[in-house]
Amino acid sequence: MSLSNKNEQEKNIRVTEDKFLAPENRKHTVIGPGGEEIFVDPLNDYFCTEKPKVEKPYKGILEKFYNWARAESLWVLGYGTGCGSIELPPLFSPRFDAYRFGVAMRPTPRQSGVFIISGYLAVKTLKRVIRSYEQMQNPKYVIALGSCTINGGMYWDSYNTINRLDHYIPVDVYIAGCMPRPEAILSGFNRLKEKIKEGRAEGANEYIEKLEWYKANQKKIIKDWNMPDYNW
Amino acid sequence: MVSPIYIIAILLGMAFMLGLLSKSGTRIAGILTSVSLALPVYISISWFIQILSGNADAITIFTAGSVPPFSINLVMGLEEAFFTSAINILGLLGFIYLSADLKKQGVRAMALYLVLIMGLNVVVMTRDIFNLFVFMEIVTIAVAGLIYLKNDNQSKEAGFKYLVAVGIISLFFLIGIGFFYFYGGTLNIDGFIAANSVVVKGATIAIFFIIISIILELKPFPANGWALDVYQAATPGVSALISSGTATASIFVLYKLLPLGSEIWLQILTVVGAVTFLGSNFLGISQKNTNRLLGYSSIGQVGLLMMVIGFMPQLGSAFKMIFFSVFISHFLAKAGLFWLSGIVKKESITDWGILRGSNIALFLFGIFLFALVGFPPFPSFYGKWQMVMELAGTGRFIWIVIILLGSFFEGLYLFRWLGYAIKGEKSNEEKLQIPWDKIVPPFIFGISLFIAAYYANSMSVYGNTINLIPLVFILLLFVIDFLPAYIKNTITIGAMVYYAVNLYPSISDDTLRVVFAAIFLIGGILTMIAGYSVKGKRKGFFPFAVMMYFGLIGLIEAENLFQFFFAWELMTLGSYILIIRGKFSMKHAFNYMLFSLGGAYLIFLGIAMSSFGNTSLDIGIIGLSTMPGWSYTLLAIGFLTKTAALGLHIWLPGAHAEAESDVSPMVSGILLKGGVFGLIVLFLAMGGEQAASHPLLYSLGWLGAITALGGNLLAVFQEDAKRLLAYSSVANLGYILFALAFMTNIGWLSALTYSINHFLFKTLLFLAIGGVVLRVKTHNMYEMGGLIKQMPWSFIAVLIGIITLAGIPPLSGYAGKWLFYNAVITKGWYFQGVLVFFAGTIAFLYCFKLIYSVFLGQPKDRFRKVKEAPIWYLIPQFILIIGIMIFSARPDLVLKPIGALLTQSSYFPSDSLSWENVTASTNLGYWSGYKIMLVIGVMFAVLLVWLMYMSRKTQKVKQFNIVYAGERPFTPETTHFSHNMFSHYYKALGFLSAPLATRFWNITNDITHRIADGSKRLYTGNGQTYLAVIMAYIIIIYLIMF
Amino acid sequence: MTNLFSIEYITIFTSFALLVLGLWGIISQKNIFKIIISFSIVNTSIHLLLVSLAYIRNRTAPIIDSAVDRVNAAEKVVDPVPHALVLTAIVIGIGITALMLSYAFTMYKQHKTLDINQYKSLKW
Amino acid sequence: MELVKKIGFVLLGLFIILNWGLIMSGIIRKIIARLGMRRGIKVFQPYINLIKNYSIRSQISHGVMFYLGPVFRLSGGIGIFLFMPLIHGSELWSNFSFTGDLILIAYFAFFGMLGMALGAGEGGHPYSAIGISRGLAQFTAIELPLTLAIISIAIQYNTLSISEIVAAQQGGIQNWTLVTNPFATVAAMISFLGAMGHSPFSVVMAPQEIPIGPPTEYHGTFLGILQTNRAILHVIEAVLYMNLFFGGATNWGILILKSFLVYFWSVFVGMVFPRFRVDQSIPWLLKLPVLIGIIAIALLII
């Protein structure tokens, strides 16, 4: 449970409860059918508070085989986080035809393996990105699109965007440019494939191993942290 | 033996004596009056017993020491003894009841009371017409005086109207007497009859005036406004005297004087009685004032008695029994009801909820009402049955219709009233005050009803075929009602087990009966087990539950139509009370009763028509009916009210949904099969396969198909879990009706499979949902959700239930579907069949809605701490699940014997199912329940093990750990998709679920009530108008006669 | 037969006239007292009818006095029974009328009106 | 021994059907891609997807029914396979079709649907429930033309046994139901469109509106099972229609060809027509297709 030290966490909770907690997330009591009082703590009761575990890769040829399959079947979460997402639809057009490479869009994080962060990331969006990323299943890969995800790009001094994406979630492949063309993205996919096949794309486990550091970074940016520490 | 003259002597003497007593002596006067009222009771009853047992003969008392025509003579025969006994008992009890009021008014009021009773006695006994007139006038004066007892504006007004009206009527009587003497030369009734002066033209006018006045005294509709006002305004104790006492005397006078007239008077009397019975009861339906309502009912009953007298020659030897049972019901019940009304002191029937304050009063109220409407085992049931049968024997069906219609209207307002009493609103401040002197008289009358019922039973032709032991057991349950529920429950279950064990050998050779007996008794026992979860005493539940079950069993045991109808009515009565026990059941139970009553009367009429031209009443005579079209149709519609065919279904959803949790399975899974059994009896009597092309069956087939579709479609759009199941029952009964209407071997087999299945899964589902409702205390599915965690066992039960309901292999529901397809194609009813299959797929929608909305989806905070349903609910559920499993795996165990029976009997010899070990086949297809179950079971197990291996490392998450487009759900309530789940379906097909039937019945109901209400305006309240109506009535009767 | 204007016919016609008159009064008069009076008229008419039905031509009243001796009273007097009936009927009629009047009296005390149309609190 | 042999052949048949299902969907996807002037996926892409899904390391579960849902679903698919005779005239390839007839298959289709509905329901996701409510609602209407067609051919052949229906169609194309009872065939083939879930009846799984509907919470092995089932189900449903209307198959080659063509029909229509909403598709299905079905019966009983 304790990700940072305990005092800080408690303070954190108090602050969020005081300022940012939405009414439906506040602790309250309801009356049951038999007239009994039931205490409800939405953040703890509605969400699983288990800590995620590192899922060790298989050994040897089995893992290689699986990695091949993972690399040849990249299901991308259809979530356009920034302006770079305009470059994604052409990927599936006859001209670029990403299907050739086993790339496909999936509408739900549960079924997707690849998360493309397409450009600058507003703090508001970061929260959604973290949720969606955590809801994806291990193994999962992140492709960061454009300069904004590397160093903030033209928004490097913005009050509202993050500068370095890999402070918040592990990134497997960066594709530079503002914005990168679809060809560049395809090339990025191929780089990712190589990485997977080599067994080096273990971002999901890395995230769990260094969860405390990631969480600290995330919470530094996101003031209204009104969700559980890990979104299953 | 004391001479009956002493009745008069004592009463009159005491009346004079009281005049001498000073005003301060009310206490002594009260005692003296009671004694002097008790002595005539003894005298008349001893005469009655002596004459009845043959120890004494009727005697004639000659006054003034000479014989008629020179003196007045009084006769004490059997009838006189009976009626005087009735009057004197009423007098004594009425005095006890009224004593407080009378004491307030002083000794003179008591004298008046004595004079009244004396007058009534003489009116009964005298054989002199002028003496009759005199004492009728004395009675009038006494009654007018007693009406004044209440001493308020209304009673004065009513008393005046009464006095003027009766005064005028007796003046006509006096004219009659003048002519009577002029033409007959005597004042003695017997002398006049002996002189046979009817031939003299003038005597007709004398008799006209005499009889018409007596008829008017009996308040024929519509010349009875004055009487209604009196009933309403007089203090209820006096109304009881008028209703039971003076009406009794008057009806006897009519009986006594009728021999004077010619045959035509009987016909006139029949018409008058019929008009009165029907008219008065019809106008009563929109009446809300308690005493006035009783007045309408009272007048109606007297009308029925007039009809009975009018039909004297046709009824023949049964006349006495019929007259006795109808009369005694009216006499006891009406007096009792007036007395109860005096205790309750509520003007409007809507305020009668206060009656619940006293169990005994409520009990008495109930039995009085049931006795009036003519439910078994009360006397009027026997009477009405016998009367209808005798009339049917001579083909007088119009009259039967009138009797039944009148009874229906009477049932309508009486049951509305009962509904208010059992379920009406009741303020907590008000307490029902029941002094002993007010409750003893109705109590004695209530007990007397049972004694009278026993006599009516023994007098009835078929009465001795009724098994009274269950009824005694039911009474016993009333007696031990103070015990805790679990003891009574155990006793009840024990009795049912005992009954089942004893019943089995007698029906074991008839598989059909065994199946239904098993549904009724095993189902009964299982649902009673659920009753163990009820704490406290559960007053009034067990007698009626037992009544319903014994009614159902009675249907199976019935050897003749009388037993059948008796059991049918018993079942209706028991189930009505069970249904009305629900919290919001008043309206629904009322609807149920109306449809049941209407249905029962249609069945009654159907039976009557079948019996026409047949000598016996065996069930088989339905098939020998000389007007098969009528009797089949009537019986079918009657049974369909119970199976809730579309159009007749509107009572069902509410009744089943609002009933208590463990009552719903009783009335749904089990009770409905009563109607199915009725249909089976009817169809078998029609001749089985030979009747397969009967047009009635064709229309019933369509009706069944449409019912299946409509029921399922309506179920889809319900938000109330129990209502959903109720509509599903409508649909399932539609399937059964449809399959029965095939009249083929396989069709019947599928109907029976359906019946068994429906019993299994609907009882299971209602028990499971009932258990849930018990815990979460709401019926609305969208308020529930995610209960699988708290109630896993209930979830399993519902899951099994819906798989069976939907007919998904490998469970037994599929057996029904498969047989159904075969039957449809064999029979050639393709389009109806398609409709039914369409309905079958619609069933998936509500099956999913039911299990998803309740058990899956988002759990609600409110229900975090609810517990699993009570163990007593789960035990029967799992017994039923075992039943379903056995029936699914080895359907041959049940279907083989049924098939064998159907094939061997002469009804369905051809095209049967053939069995090869466990594989059934028709000439179309084949199916092996056992193997299918095996294949699917093995496969499912293998896959489960595989998946469990593959995903052994899953992380269990909580309710909001769902992907929500990067967001999180708001609250469980907004995340649970349940309310209006099938809105798109409603857009597409919602027009088919328009409540046409409800609208139709509402309009019918509305129009009926409006007409009744409008016609009621006839009673303007103006005394003068009443008089004008009386005169017009005389003129009209005169014109009719001559 | 007998003359239409003979005494028995006249009385019978009179009684019928009175009967009709009384009945008409009962249903047409609004005043309760007038209704009671009409009732009495009907009552009287019936008494008259009874007496006239008992009448036998050329006979005298059934009173045993100097005019009629006990021995052959049967040939001299009219039928005595209706007379006895009428006597009783008169008594009863008076009783009823008295009760009616007392009712009328109490009703009047309450409502200060004798119009029968005003007494319609009980209806339907 | 007899039983072991039987089970062996059943498993072999299942293996063939599964592989054919996967390849068939690959081919179809390829054809669609070529229609869109794309190269499209590899033909074996469905295999890769399947392996990938089975290789997912972490999984979450919402409850027991969430777990059992895919099992029910796959049981439903395999169950239909088990009760379906595959090759005409071959005892070995007739699976367990001796336990039940056409009606069994028609009703066993519900088994998987119910399981899916329950599993998705347990997921607690409103979109799953919306998808299911749409699917079930549309299904009632889809089933109606099929019912009419089944009754029509039951009248025609006077049997409900699939083997006998296939046997009756042997001896040339002129004996196929397609020729002898065209109206029933048309009605059933419209119903087949709905059963396959392509356009115009694909609103059940609207990918963006209700992220692919019922299986929105399913992933990893669960999704793998669902995909496996899909592969089997598509072929076996096509085989059912093939058996009923297109003369069945006397060997595996014909089975593969015919099932491909039958399945392709639904893909073809799906590519050409846009999507119906549920409240549009139901009235549509209840009008023309039902009328055709009624004609199919009426022609036979006149």
Side-chain angles (χ1 to χ4, degrees), chain D residues 270-287:
Chain D
M271 290 311 292
V272 175
F273 288 100
R275 190 178 278 167
F276 267 138
R277 287 154 54 101
V278 172
D279 47 314
Q280 292 164 332
S281 69
I282 293 171
W284 186 82
L285 281 164
L286 292 185
K287 281 173 198 158

Side-chain angles (χ1 to χ4, degrees), chain B residues 121-139:
Chain B
N121 271 301
V122 177
V123 166
V124 171
M125 287 193 289
T126 185
R127 302 297 292 180
D128 184 283
I129 196 140
F130 189 73
N131 194 25
L132 184 65
F133 166 75
V134 172
F135 277 88
M136 273 165 61
E137 290 290 73
I138 287 174
V139 167

Side-chain angles (χ1 to χ4, degrees), chain A residues 24-25 31-33 37-40 44-48 50 55 108-110 128 131-132 135 232, chain B residues 775-777 861-862 864-866 953 955-963 966-968 970 972:
Chain A
E24 73 271 14
N25 282 344
I31 306 297
E37 282 201 347
I38 296 164
F39 177 72
V40 182
N44 279 319
D45 292 353
Y46 294 156
F47 296 97
C48 176
E50 288 291 310
E55 305 285 344
T108 154
R110 295 273 187 235
R128 276 78 187 160
R131 268 211 192 97
S132 298
Q135 281 171 343
W232 280 95
Chain B
R775 290 296 190 223
V776 301
K777 297 198 169 52
D861 299 336
R862 286 178 60 220
R864 278 189 197 173
K865 287 190 181 164
V866 298
K953 282 194 297 186
Q955 167 65 45
K956 185 98 175 55
V957 296
K958 289 191 182 163
Q959 64 186 106
F960 272 5
N961 289 108
I962 53 178
V963 294
E967 262 301 335
R968 48 156 288 162
F970 183 64

Side-chain angles (χ1 to χ4, degrees), chain D residues 17 20-21 24 230-240 259:
Chain D
I17 292 287
W20 167 232
M24 186 172 81
R230 209 176 161 76
I232 297 171
L233 199 62
H234 281 175
V235 178
I236 208 69
E237 290 247 350
V239 168
L240 172 67
S259 61

Side-chain angles (χ1 to χ4, degrees), chain D residues 35-280:
Chain D
L35 274 175
M37 314 271 262
R38 291 188 281 116
R39 286 185 71 85
I41 59 163
K42 295 188 266 298
V43 172
F44 296 105
Q45 186 69 42
Y47 283 97
I48 304 172
N49 291 347
L50 200 58
I51 295 166
K52 191 221 37 195
N53 277 328
Y54 281 122
S55 77
I56 294 290
R57 292 176 190 150
S58 69
Q59 288 191 106
I60 59 152
S61 157
H62 286 281
V64 179
M65 276 324 286
F66 185 76
Y67 213 96
L68 286 179
V71 182
F72 267 93
R73 188 77 174 133
L74 186 54
S75 300
I78 296 181
I80 296 179
F81 164 79
L82 291 178
F83 301 127
M84 181 82 71
L86 296 175
I87 307 290
H88 171 66
S90 162
E91 183 63 30
L92 291 170
W93 295 116
S94 67
N95 293 338
F96 295 122
S97 64
F98 55 85
T99 54
D101 49 26
L102 180 54
I103 311 302
L104 176 64
I105 289 174
Y107 274 88
F108 200 68
F110 298 120
F111 191 80
M113 277 178 62
L114 179 77
M116 188 63 212
L118 295 182
E122 170 84 287
H125 205 299
Y127 295 153
S128 309
I130 291 173
I132 292 161
S133 85
R134 287 178 185 178
L136 289 172
Q138 197 167 267
F139 190 74
T140 61
I142 290 165
E143 203 58 356
L144 195 52
L146 180 64
T147 309
L148 287 160
I150 287 179
I151 289 179
S152 175
I153 58 174
I155 303 166
Q156 187 188 352
Y157 298 118
N158 198 26
T159 180
L160 282 168
S161 157
I162 297 175
S163 311
E164 287 177 29
I165 290 173
V166 174
Q169 297 179 63
Q170 295 307 310
I173 203 165
Q174 73 278 6
N175 289 338
W176 291 7
T177 316
L178 174 67
V179 180
T180 56
N181 195 350
F183 283 101
T185 312
V186 171
M189 289 317 283
I190 292 172
S191 161
F192 180 72
L193 294 180
M196 288 299 104
H198 289 287
S199 269
F201 304 110
S202 58
V203 80
V204 178
M205 291 207 171
Q208 292 303 328
E209 182 210 4
I210 46 165
I212 68 167
T216 187
E217 277 288 307
Y218 279 112
H219 56 271
T221 314
F222 301 125
L223 189 61
I225 290 178
L226 295 182
Q227 279 180 322
T228 314
N229 172 64
R230 209 176 161 76
I232 297 171
L233 199 62
H234 281 175
V235 178
I236 208 69
E237 290 247 350
V239 168
L240 172 67
Y241 282 79
M242 170 196 89
N243 278 339
L244 293 184
F245 302 104
F246 303 105
T250 47
N251 58 50
W252 278 104
I254 291 181
L255 184 140
I256 284 170
L257 180 67
K258 281 187 181 171
S259 61
F260 177 80
L261 289 174
V262 170
Y263 182 66
F264 187 74
W265 148 254
S266 79
V267 178
F268 174 75
V269 173
M271 290 311 292
V272 175
F273 288 100
R275 190 178 278 167
F276 267 138
R277 287 154 54 101
V278 172
D279 47 314
Q280 292 164 332

Side-chain angles (χ1 to χ4, degrees), chain B residues 932-944, chain D residues 7 82:
Chain B
I932 290 173
M933 194 135 178
L934 201 66
V935 169
I936 293 174
V938 169
M939 175 186 62
F940 191 83
V942 168
L943 287 175
L944 184 61
Chain D
I7 289 172
L82 291 178

